[in-house]
Amino acid sequence: GLGDVYKRQGWLVSPDSPRELASAIIEGLSSPERCRALGMAARDRLLSEYSADAVCPQQEHYYELAIRRHKSRRAEPNG
């Protein structure tokens, strides 16, 4: 589930729970190897999902979609 994803990428705490936040910070400070692994996993995710190679084709797709919609509206009567 979603909790498992967050365990691989960091700590998930309730937004209104200072105690949970403090516990997660203490856990991170006491486990530098886990922090290093989480950092490497985050870097890998960043490079695979948010690199120019990953984002540009998506952006191009949405630009083309917007252009097609704009052209189809202009072709309509009263457009």
Side-chain angles (χ1 to χ4, degrees):
L2 188 58
D4 294 330
V5 171
Y6 283 105
K7 287 177 186 173
R8 291 190 305 267
Q9 298 178 358
W11 288 269
L12 180 63
V13 298
S14 301
D16 59 348
S17 178
R19 188 177 308 261
E20 282 184 45
L21 179 59
S23 177
I25 291 170
I26 291 167
E27 185 178 343
L29 291 172
S30 65
S31 182
E33 58 282 341
R34 179 156 186 238
C35 286
R36 191 174 304 108
L38 290 172
M40 290 171 55
R43 182 180 189 279
D44 290 345
R45 181 175 181 211
L46 174 81
L47 293 175
S48 68
E49 294 184 27
Y50 300 103
S51 68
D53 289 340
V55 173
C56 287
Q58 294 174 1
Q59 197 68 29
E60 183 179 14
H61 167 76
Y62 288 113
Y63 283 142
E64 289 172 353
L65 182 62
I67 291 167
R68 282 196 303 270
R69 285 182 179 171
H70 177 73
K71 286 181 178 179
S72 70
R73 288 185 187 146
R74 290 185 64 182
E76 294 175 5
N78 301 323

